[in-house]
Amino acid sequence: MRVTVLAGGVGGARFVRGVRAAMPDADVTVVVNTGDDLWLTGVRLQPDLDSILYALAGVNDTERGWGRADETERVSAELREWGAGWPWFTLGDLDLGTHLARTGWLREGLTPTQIAERLAARWPIGVRLLPMTDAEVDTQVVLADGRRLHFQEWWTRHRARLRAVAFENPGIEFAAPAPGVVAAITGADVVALAPSNPVVSIGPILAVPGVRTALAEAPRVVGVSPIIGGKVVRGMADACLTAIGVPTAADAVARHYGRRAAGGVLDTWFLALEDADLAPALVDEGWDVRVAPLWMNDLEASAELARTVLTV
Amino acid sequence: MRVTVLAGGVGGARFVRGVRAAMPDADVTVVVNTGDDLWLTGVRLQPDLDSILYALAGVNDTERGWGRADETERVSAELREWGAGWPWFTLGDLDLGTHLARTGWLREGLTPTQIAERLAARWPIGVRLLPMTDAEVDTQVVLADGRRLHFQEWWTRHRARLRAVAFENPGIEFAAPAPGVVAAITGADVVALAPSNPVVSIGPILAVPGVRTALAEAPRVVGVSPIIGGKVVRGMADACLTAIGVPTAADAVARHYGRRAAGGVLDTWFLALEDADLAPALVDEGWDVRVAPLWMNDLEASAELARTVLTV
């Protein structure tokens, strides 16, 4: 079975671990959001790709929820002393090794796609990781006061508290899907939208020219709600949804993605048990809605969810 | 008193610490070799400038002789795991903080001169550090077999064991002295060539167009032999001298620099006590030669040497 998952960082990682556990023989490709990527002190960071890589490799910090396990911050402390970089943005030392390797390879002329393959080769992660595009199309946040920040500054420094009115990836209209992305989508038996942030994780992937067309040609596209019981599972996705006028509700996110039959991207939408009451209205609108336990508190739960979602 | 020192890394640092201790009220500028500089995994390293900075700040590793004290190598170990960068070239974590700060500032558009000023502002080092040039003119080693290596690869990886026939700084003919370098030389009461590697530390400084002319206009230029008793004090400077056909001897190095009166750069040459027998021949050739204890084993000895050299 060929499975392709569109995913952001931590939420995407949990879902993909579930996929891998549920279907060890499946040919799994993960198309990863690169909108969170940034240059910091001349070094290229790809937070979502690394989060998924570390989680699949089992070297992630499960307590903290991000970064490498057994991490230290010696270099970051020095950068603060120098007044360089973003003092509120911590670069773990082990994590920095990844960023430097990537940056060196970029300077040697490798593409992000080639680099993702090299990074993934360090551990037997069992899935293929593809950046959504090799172009740099970092997500910017347009604030209500007109200012424009890199997504990381808004998210990490300001904890998404400054009122945003739009999220943009300048230049994305000129970006191409990374090599392999379109084929992974059109050639999959199932494409799944992971329960990642719909606006700043899945949103940029869908905005890469050619991805929506590929999804329209895919045999089957399913989505898992990142909202459970009217609340975001983690992070501050509600601030992103609010900014673009989408209520923080599982049915609203479904409508935001849209049904394929009506020009959207999804065939099937998975609601949490806690949101089962939202199902009838969606069904009335023509949705194929399924209700399932969506909490991915451990690998077993993630695998059970993945099995349900992918064999629907 | 205005003193300007042309210097490489560790040997230069010891001498400059001596200058600062001997003449706390002097206005001291150090023009630092940048030929050892390199890009590694997209990050800019300036080993000589950092060595001098760390030594003057008192944060250098005095046991090992290079890098920061209390250093760790977490990031370097990761880079080796990734197969990125040069596995034989260790980047300390604290040291890497300096490199990343520098790289970030370069990417922001600051010049190496401006960056050296920022770096030096972290500690009250009491002297002004100037890179010899803002241009990138890394030293390359031409081997007997025709290969060409970055100086660091030849020096650190191969321990200067591959037979070299030339040292070149491609493009240096188009480089300009960094802002302030010419004025620091022509406006100094004394310019001193530190007992640094004559070929790959002092050599590149002298090769920057305009530096020799400035030295010709300086009131006084003195040099300290890096050879004591026919041996290099540290490092593998003898391999560099041999490559360019200069014997590893204090008089040969003097002749390599040359007397100002004869088109060279020096007025006065300081020989070690151990090399006093070389003095008469040099005197016969017209040299102003002084004999002094050249070992800089502690700060007191360095200060005593600096006092002798600068008040000659």
Side-chain angles (χ1 to χ4, degrees):
Chain A
M1 186 175 185
R2 286 164 301 172
V3 176
T4 293
V5 181
L6 312 192
V10 178
R14 287 200 184 183
F15 185 72
V16 174
R17 290 188 73 217
V19 170
R20 189 179 59 175
M23 305 190 158
D25 298 328
D27 178 358
V28 180
T29 297
V30 186
V31 177
V32 185
N33 170 45
T34 61
D36 294 12
D37 298 2
L38 67 154
W39 287 100
L40 197 60
T41 64
V43 174
R44 188 68 176 164
L45 280 58
Q46 297 199 288
D48 278 0
L49 195 121
D50 291 350
S51 286
I52 294 179
L53 175 65
Y54 297 158
L56 292 174
V59 299
N60 57 317
D61 186 323
T62 51
E63 298 264 317
R64 195 169 52 169
W66 54 274
R68 293 280 299 266
D70 302 314
E71 188 57 290
T72 49
E73 294 165 9
R74 302 258 293 168
V75 180
S76 252
E78 276 298 299
L79 285 176
R80 270 188 284 275
E81 290 294 328
W82 288 120
W86 286 342
W88 42 265
F89 194 89
T90 297
L91 291 164
D93 296 326
L94 301 180
D95 196 29
L96 190 54
T98 313
H99 307 324
L100 288 178
R102 171 172 29 242
T103 304
W105 293 331
L106 281 173
R107 297 286 177 213
E108 287 173 16
L110 270 69
T111 64
T113 302
Q114 292 168 323
I115 291 169
E117 190 178 349
R118 277 205 187 178
L119 293 174
R122 177 166 169 186
W123 297 286
I125 63 171
V127 312
R128 184 166 62 133
L129 294 184
L130 289 180
M132 67 189 200
T133 177
D134 282 341
E136 291 184 14
V137 289
D138 309 350
T139 301
Q140 296 185 359
V141 185
V142 182
L143 300 185
D145 64 12
R147 274 186 299 158
R148 187 179 275 272
L149 304 178
H150 187 285
F151 172 72
Q152 292 289 354
E153 186 165 7
W154 181 72
W155 186 259
T156 305
R157 180 183 193 179
H158 296 291
R159 310 296 299 159
R161 283 195 206 100
L162 303 179
R163 197 158 72 81
V165 294
F167 299 89
E168 296 178 358
N169 296 88
I172 201 165
E173 63 271 30
F174 308 113
V181 165
V182 167
I185 292 172
T186 57
D189 295 301
V190 188
V191 177
L193 272 58
S196 299
N197 187 315
V199 185
V200 295
S201 294
I202 305 296
I205 303 175
L206 297 179
V208 176
V211 167
R212 281 181 176 268
T213 310
L215 285 169
E217 294 170 15
R220 181 156 188 75
V221 184
V222 300
V224 181
S225 174
I227 310 290
I228 301 182
K231 291 200 171 64
V232 294
V233 173
R234 56 170 295 124
M236 302 156 286
D238 44 345
C240 302
L241 289 166
T242 302
I244 63 163
V246 175
T248 303
D251 56 342
V253 173
R255 291 185 190 107
H256 170 66
Y257 285 137
R259 292 185 298 126
R260 280 218 290 188
V265 298
L266 294 173
D267 296 313
T268 302
W269 183 241
F270 279 83
L271 282 176
L273 296 173
E274 294 85 339
D275 295 310
D277 59 320
L278 301 173
L282 287 171
V283 170
D284 282 350
E285 292 166 28
W287 281 88
D288 176 25
V289 178
R290 313 293 173 107
V291 175
L294 296 195
W295 289 104
M296 297 187 289
N297 289 328
D298 54 31
L299 183 57
E300 202 177 331
S302 301
E304 185 55 36
L305 173 61
R307 194 173 298 115
T308 305
V309 167
L310 298 176
T311 57
V312 68
Chain B
M1 186 175 185
R2 286 163 302 173
V3 176
T4 293
V5 182
L6 311 191
V10 178
R14 288 199 184 184
F15 185 71
V16 174
R17 289 187 75 218
V19 170
R20 189 178 59 173
M23 303 190 160
D25 298 327
D27 178 358
V28 180
T29 298
V30 187
V31 176
V32 185
N33 170 46
T34 62
D36 293 12
D37 298 1
L38 66 153
W39 287 101
L40 197 61
T41 63
V43 174
R44 188 67 175 164
L45 280 59
Q46 297 199 288
D48 279 0
L49 195 120
D50 291 349
S51 287
I52 294 180
L53 174 66
Y54 297 157
L56 292 174
V59 299
N60 57 318
D61 187 323
T62 52
E63 298 264 317
R64 195 170 54 169
W66 54 274
R68 292 279 300 266
D70 302 315
E71 190 56 289
T72 49
E73 294 165 8
R74 300 258 293 169
V75 180
S76 253
E78 276 298 299
L79 285 174
R80 270 188 285 276
E81 289 295 327
W82 288 121
W86 286 343
W88 42 266
F89 194 88
T90 297
L91 290 164
D93 295 325
L94 301 179
D95 196 28
L96 189 55
T98 313
H99 307 325
L100 287 179
R102 171 171 30 241
T103 304
W105 294 330
L106 282 172
R107 297 284 177 214
E108 288 173 17
L110 271 70
T111 64
T113 302
Q114 293 168 322
I115 291 168
E117 191 179 348
R118 277 204 188 179
L119 293 174
R122 176 167 170 187
W123 297 285
I125 65 170
V127 312
R128 184 167 62 135
L129 295 184
L130 289 179
M132 68 189 200
T133 178
D134 283 340
E136 290 184 15
V137 289
D138 310 350
T139 300
Q140 297 185 359
V141 185
V142 181
L143 301 184
D145 63 14
R147 274 185 299 158
R148 186 178 275 272
L149 304 179
H150 187 283
F151 172 73
Q152 292 289 356
E153 184 164 10
W154 180 72
W155 187 259
T156 305
R157 180 182 192 179
H158 296 291
R159 311 293 301 159
R161 283 195 205 99
L162 303 179
R163 196 158 73 80
V165 295
F167 300 89
E168 296 178 357
N169 296 86
I172 201 165
E173 63 272 28
F174 306 114
V181 166
V182 167
I185 292 172
T186 58
D189 296 303
V190 187
V191 176
L193 273 58
S196 299
N197 188 314
V199 185
V200 295
S201 294
I202 305 296
I205 303 176
L206 298 178
V208 176
V211 167
R212 282 181 176 267
T213 309
L215 286 168
E217 294 170 15
R220 182 157 187 73
V221 184
V222 301
V224 181
S225 174
I227 309 290
I228 300 182
K231 290 199 170 67
V232 294
V233 172
R234 57 170 294 125
M236 302 155 288
D238 45 343
C240 302
L241 289 165
T242 302
I244 63 163
V246 175
T248 302
D251 56 342
V253 173
R255 291 185 190 105
H256 170 66
Y257 284 137
R259 291 184 300 126
R260 279 217 292 189
V265 298
L266 293 174
D267 297 312
T268 302
W269 183 241
F270 280 82
L271 281 175
L273 295 173
E274 294 86 338
D275 296 309
D277 59 319
L278 301 173
L282 287 171
V283 170
D284 282 352
E285 293 166 26
W287 281 87
D288 175 26
V289 178
R290 313 293 172 107
V291 176
L294 296 195
W295 289 105
M296 298 186 287
N297 289 328
D298 53 32
L299 182 57
E300 202 177 332
S302 301
E304 184 56 36
L305 173 60
R307 195 175 296 117
T308 305
V309 167
L310 298 176
T311 57
V312 67

